[in-house]
Amino acid sequence: MTTIITGNKIREDFINYFKKKGHTFVKSSSLVPGGDQTLLFTNAGMVQFKDVFLGTDNRQYTRAVNSQKCMRVSGKHNDLDDVGRDDFHHTFFEMLGNWSFGDYYKK
């Protein structure tokens, strides 16, 4: 008998696993990052934490888990200059991520 595992189940299990390990669940941010003129679309799960990694912001937590809605166009990370050559490739997906802000593994 084949067991079918849905995308919702994978997402739920991933998030719950890291929540049990002390991570704070952070909801997906917008596909259009607010206040960031360097990105037109959210292309990775770390975008909502970019300011933390750059050292310009702190969070009330040191561990996070998320399922971030992402979009990539033209087969590359936000390579909008290339879209004109190939206007039919884009990808929309959710990126599961677990993050540490100086708490474990790497600073």
Side-chain angles (χ1 to χ4, degrees):
M1 183 171 157
T2 303
T3 302
I4 298 174
I5 301 174
T6 66
N8 287 338
K9 179 69 172 148
I10 293 169
R11 180 188 316 106
E12 179 184 337
D13 287 352
F14 181 88
I15 290 168
N16 287 336
Y17 173 83
F18 283 100
K19 284 172 66 175
K20 288 176 187 172
K21 300 288 184 181
H23 292 66
T24 298
F25 173 69
V26 181
K27 289 183 180 181
S28 179
S29 59
S30 173
L31 273 178
V32 180
D36 188 341
Q37 299 301 313
T38 67
L39 293 171
L40 293 174
F41 300 109
T42 298
N43 66 341
M46 59 76 59
V47 169
Q48 64 180 305
F49 305 117
K50 182 178 172 182
D51 53 353
V52 179
F53 293 123
L54 292 173
T56 59
D57 192 20
N58 293 309
R59 301 293 167 101
Q60 296 176 350
Y61 45 84
T62 58
R63 297 177 179 194
V65 60
N66 68 339
S67 178
Q68 175 61 50
K69 295 175 185 87
C70 300
M71 186 166 120
R72 294 183 180 166
V73 292
S74 188
K76 290 180 77 176
H77 296 68
N78 288 341
D79 203 354
L80 290 176
D81 293 337
D82 292 337
V83 172
R85 287 186 265 145
D86 185 353
D87 60 0
F88 52 87
H89 284 98
H90 68 280
T91 309
F92 175 77
F93 59 97
E94 287 182 76
M95 185 176 284
L96 300 173
N98 61 291
W99 312 95
S100 170
F101 310 117
D103 185 36
Y104 64 88
Y105 187 52
K106 294 182 180 180
K107 291 182 181 180

